[in-house]
Amino acid sequence: MAVIAVTKERRDGETRVAATPDTVKKLIAAGFAVVIEAGAGATSSYLDGDYEAAGAEIAPDLSAALSKADILFKVRGPAPEEIAGLKVEALVVGMLNPHQDKATLNALAAKGASAFSMEFVPRITRAQVMDVLSSQANLAGYRAVLEAANAYGKVMPMMMTAAGTVAAAKVFVMGAGVAGLQAIATARRLGAVVTATDVRPAAKEQVESLGAKFVAVEDEEFKAAETAAGYAKEMSAEYQAKQAALVSEHIRKQDMVITTALIPGRPAPRLISAAQVASMRPGSVLVDLAVEQGGNVEGSVPGEVVETGGVKIVGYANLPGRIAADASALYARNLFAFAGLFLDKEGAFAPDFDDEILKAALVTRAGAVVHPALAG
């Protein structure tokens, strides 16, 4: 019987956990044994007693948690002391930030671990239930609107009172992927007037279906601006200039702007310049969901709220971690589905490294970094 270990997250600011009592029950029913490091779920409001009641063994410390582990479940990449405590040839599964955190990948390779980065799970029908990028981005989009509303000094919906009418807030969402669409829906539910933009043509219909107005330069380049995997392509300088002119005029009229644009394996594209920030009215708010990858907004700072000319730029990192219980629950379900790929048809622990999902997510094996996107 393969043993899955779930340890405390040791990266600064990480409040999520890689398993919940609910997924522990499911993992055990599937044929795994589960060991939880004491206190691993505390920051997500999951108690050791709840894990124990679900059938997990509670390990008193990290060493005890890792000593029997065939598989290590993580939210973020394991810390050096966790890698050191792994059994040789153990499997590691988590959001490993493979393009940026090369040191962790190299350490996992040196240990002989077979590591799977959940960011690389392919976007195919069979893998939808394992899509951590979508599950976490959905919550990030929701939380971004709440952070914007909290920083904003006025109400969101239009209010008609005996003392007069309060106008609805104007919210502009830049990037209409999973996070952006959830931000649109949340802002609409709170009563804001919402507009949105994206470089992918398919996004227009999605934005409008949520009751928001679509804002974009719809030329020939725009019509071809999407990869086969559904990601946005990086646009030409000419298109960016035209779009920037349109956005600049639009943005100065907005009360809140939420930016969500990311390109896999690349720094986040700069969407909003300092001049555009300066054009906004005092009291306006920007929330930069891409702050950890370099930021969409010039002047955003990871983990901080920066105020310039009366405009607030919210750069909170790890927005899903600010809703840790639900973020952990969704992520843990993603991992439970992924763990099923380690079992054969009879339920025995026998990972098939030729399975298209495992192969796509595998980043280290047999002492080397093996993913083609990470070559060199």
Side-chain angles (χ1 to χ4, degrees):
M1 179 181 292
V3 177
I4 295 173
V6 178
T7 57
K8 294 178 182 177
E9 292 299 316
R10 288 167 164 80
R11 302 294 179 110
D12 289 344
E14 186 51 73
T15 55
R16 293 168 290 180
V17 65
T20 64
D22 177 63
T23 60
V24 164
K25 287 181 183 178
K26 293 177 179 178
L27 288 165
I28 291 171
F32 295 99
V34 182
V35 178
I36 307 286
E37 182 184 3
T43 54
S44 297
S45 303
Y46 297 112
L47 305 180
D48 290 346
D50 295 327
Y51 285 113
E52 198 165 22
E57 175 188 343
I58 304 301
D61 54 32
L62 177 63
S63 177
L66 293 176
S67 62
K68 303 175 184 177
D70 301 297
I71 306 165
L72 174 62
F73 275 4
K74 296 295 296 180
V75 178
R76 302 282 182 131
E81 61 268 32
E82 293 176 296
I83 297 173
L86 286 172
K87 296 196 299 186
V88 176
E89 298 184 355
L91 308 185
V92 177
V93 184
M95 291 187 289
L96 304 181
N97 190 20
H99 290 292
Q100 281 77 41
D101 193 359
K102 299 295 179 63
T104 295
L105 290 191
N106 290 334
L108 286 166
K111 184 68 178 183
S114 293
F116 299 88
S117 188
M118 293 299 290
E119 297 96 323
F120 284 160
V121 168
R123 287 191 161 178
I124 58 176
T125 301
R126 188 165 71 93
Q128 284 182 339
V129 70
M130 309 169 200
D131 186 355
V132 300
L133 295 179
S134 292
S135 74
Q136 301 305 293
N138 188 52
L139 292 174
Y142 165 81
R143 186 69 191 196
V145 175
L146 299 190
E147 297 297 348
N150 184 57
Y152 185 53
K154 302 177 185 178
V155 298
M156 294 276 282
M158 182 180 75
M159 292 187 177
M160 301 179 70
T161 75
T165 300
V166 177
K170 295 178 181 178
V171 176
F172 183 40
V173 179
M174 302 186 72
V178 174
L181 292 172
Q182 182 57 247
I184 292 167
T186 302
R188 287 276 296 159
R189 283 195 293 267
L190 290 175
V193 175
V194 184
T195 53
T197 190
D198 195 286
V199 298
R200 295 172 299 117
K204 180 178 180 179
E205 183 177 346
Q206 295 169 325
V207 165
E208 292 175 344
S209 74
L210 293 171
K213 181 181 178 182
F214 193 71
V215 177
V217 175
E218 299 184 40
D219 61 8
E220 291 303 313
E221 184 175 358
F222 171 79
K223 295 175 183 177
E226 188 170 347
T227 68
Y231 293 106
K233 291 182 180 178
E234 188 167 11
M235 305 300 283
S236 70
E238 291 77 12
Y239 183 89
Q240 291 181 36
K242 290 187 289 185
Q243 178 74 354
L246 177 65
V247 167
S248 291
E249 177 60 24
H250 187 68
I251 203 172
R252 67 183 183 85
K253 304 172 186 176
Q254 303 304 301
D255 300 304
M256 304 179 197
V257 178
I258 296 169
T259 66
T260 70
L262 289 169
I263 300 171
R266 303 282 296 276
R270 183 56 49 82
L271 301 183
I272 298 181
S273 67
Q276 290 170 318
V277 173
S279 76
M280 298 179 73
R281 294 185 293 263
S284 302
V285 177
L286 300 104
V287 180
D288 188 348
L289 266 69
V291 68
E292 292 180 272
Q293 281 75 47
N296 297 145
V297 181
E298 186 173 359
S300 65
V301 178
E304 296 184 16
V305 178
V306 176
E307 187 165 345
T308 174
V311 177
K312 294 178 181 177
I313 305 173
V314 179
Y316 293 142
N318 187 18
L319 285 178
R322 297 172 81 87
I323 327 170
D326 284 333
S328 297
L330 295 181
Y331 180 69
R333 291 170 200 160
N334 295 143
L335 292 194
F336 165 69
F338 191 83
L341 302 176
F342 297 146
L343 305 176
D344 63 19
K345 293 180 181 179
E346 286 71 43
F349 180 59
D352 177 7
F353 287 93
D354 289 324
D355 177 273
E356 64 179 328
I357 298 174
L358 292 185
K359 189 173 182 179
L362 185 68
V363 289
T364 70
R365 191 182 183 200
V369 175
V370 297
H371 198 284
L374 305 173

